[in-house]
Amino acid sequence: MVTPSKTTYKVAILDLYEGQANEGMRCIRAIIAEWSSKNNIQIHLDEFNVRQHLAVPNLDYDIYISSGGPGSPLDTVDTEWEAAYFNWLKQLELWNNSADCFPKKNAFFICHSFQLLCRHYEIGNVCKRKSTSFGVFPVHMMEDGHHELVFNGLHDPFYCVDSRDYQVIEPNHEKIRKLGGAILAIEKNRPHVPFERAIMALRFNEYFMGTQFHPEADAIGMAMYLQREDKKNVVIEAHGLAKWESMVEQLMDPGKIMWTYNHILPNFLHEATKELVTL
């Protein structure tokens, strides 16, 4: 039997959306609130606007989630906000690597944050895609993905909401091994296209994990969002009517996006809080 080591867990969300309208932050908040209610666990939640206010959390938090965001993950090298972001990351690494610091602190990195860490750790080639990836797509597990506790309950393949102009390919397996990491999942196989399959999920080390896709995507909320006339017109203009219709249809399939929503981040919260209990 495990007993919570304290009555309230502190969670920090690092907001990388730069003030742009998005569904990601709403979805992350909703997952945390639902998980808190379901497990009868009190959560104190704070948000940090990294790119606009150079705001980053200190080490007083138990769990960290770093969001997606707009723009290139390659063009922000040496910016003030990125320096603040990686300084926070370094402090978190130092804490987790110290034998004197306990409990250890878990962090989850989504989409843009995932790309930043892959560039920072030199995991692979972070580069622009030939075309934008936008829609609902299957994600295929690697061998390590089948043993990943955060993936418990997922099918292989499972489905994700993908929205990106960049990718991580050509993984540096030696670097990943030295970090104590593992590639967990890659994008769908496209034998008719002569391009390498991108990394879609990665465990950077024992306490850091990330996904290229959006595990926080709420199927019902996103379907309603896409059916707003202004958003519908934007998607159709950029990707065509068939893509819009396909995405709305797949969002409503309970075995696809809602399944991913109900498993990955809730599993992450469950595993992360194991560090915060006493036997």
Side-chain angles (χ1 to χ4, degrees):
M1 180 178 179
V2 294
T3 303
S5 58
K6 54 185 176 179
T7 58
T8 301
Y9 297 130
K10 294 183 67 177
V11 178
I13 303 177
L14 290 86
D15 176 0
L16 269 61
Y17 279 103
E18 204 170 19
Q20 294 194 18
N22 66 89
E23 288 290 287
M25 292 296 292
R26 176 190 66 79
C27 291
I28 294 170
R29 294 184 200 109
I31 287 175
I32 293 171
E34 290 164 10
W35 183 85
S36 171
S37 176
K38 180 179 179 180
N39 292 279
N40 195 29
I41 292 175
Q42 190 74 23
I43 294 290
H44 174 87
L45 180 64
D46 287 321
E47 299 176 15
F48 297 83
N49 187 327
V50 180
R51 294 171 77 162
Q52 289 184 308
H53 301 154
L54 307 182
V56 292
N58 57 28
L59 296 179
D60 289 344
Y61 293 85
D62 302 303
I63 299 168
Y64 301 84
I65 298 176
S66 188
S67 78
S72 166
L74 303 174
D75 295 343
T76 53
V77 177
D78 296 329
T79 58
E80 284 190 88
W81 76 260
E82 193 173 286
Y85 184 81
F86 285 129
N87 183 61
W88 159 75
L89 185 74
K90 181 180 180 180
Q91 298 308 311
L92 199 55
E93 288 176 320
L94 290 172
W95 175 279
N96 285 338
N97 291 335
S98 171
D100 298 324
C101 296
F102 185 84
K104 305 305 181 183
K105 300 170 185 289
N106 285 262
F108 197 101
F109 301 86
I110 298 170
C111 196
H112 195 87
S113 298
F114 172 84
Q115 294 166 352
L116 290 177
L117 257 70
C118 286
R119 193 195 80 208
H120 175 73
Y121 288 128
E122 300 179 329
I123 291 297
N125 179 14
V126 182
C127 58
K128 191 171 178 61
R129 287 176 52 87
K130 186 175 178 64
S131 61
T132 299
S133 177
F134 179 79
V136 175
F137 298 105
V139 176
H140 297 266
M141 289 190 203
M142 301 293 281
E143 181 62 30
D144 286 301
H146 288 280
H147 303 290
E148 171 57 56
L149 295 177
V150 174
F151 280 2
N152 274 353
L154 290 179
H155 310 301
D156 185 16
F158 60 92
Y159 286 80
C160 75
V161 167
D162 199 17
S163 177
R164 60 192 167 95
D165 292 310
Y166 293 83
Q167 62 183 352
V168 183
I169 57 173
E170 301 167 1
N172 186 326
H173 296 287
E174 183 179 356
K175 288 261 180 148
I176 295 171
R177 283 194 298 270
K178 285 183 178 179
L179 286 169
I183 297 174
L184 304 176
I186 57 177
E187 68 183 346
K188 65 178 180 178
N189 191 18
R190 299 175 296 165
H192 59 290
V193 178
F195 298 127
E196 184 167 343
R197 296 161 77 182
I199 301 171
M200 295 301 286
L202 184 74
R203 180 159 285 286
F204 295 97
N205 56 47
E206 187 176 357
Y207 304 108
F208 295 174
M209 178 178 172
T211 60
Q212 173 63 87
F213 57 89
H214 288 270
E216 80 279 18
D218 168 12
I220 296 173
M222 286 206 64
M224 293 175 63
Y225 179 76
L226 286 173
Q227 290 178 78
R228 279 174 39 186
E229 198 63 28
D230 58 335
K231 298 303 176 185
K232 177 179 178 180
N233 291 336
V234 168
V235 173
I236 290 174
E237 182 177 343
H239 304 283
L241 178 61
K243 170 66 74 173
W244 178 86
E245 291 176 337
S246 171
M247 194 166 184
V248 171
E249 179 182 353
Q250 293 193 76
L251 282 170
M252 301 314 294
D253 184 333
K256 290 187 175 178
I257 298 309
M258 209 61 206
W259 194 263
T260 300
Y261 173 92
N262 285 327
H263 284 81
I264 291 184
L265 282 180
N267 283 349
F268 166 73
L269 292 169
H270 175 75
E271 294 303 321
T273 53
K274 284 183 178 179
E275 293 289 334
L276 311 172
V277 300
T278 55
L279 296 179

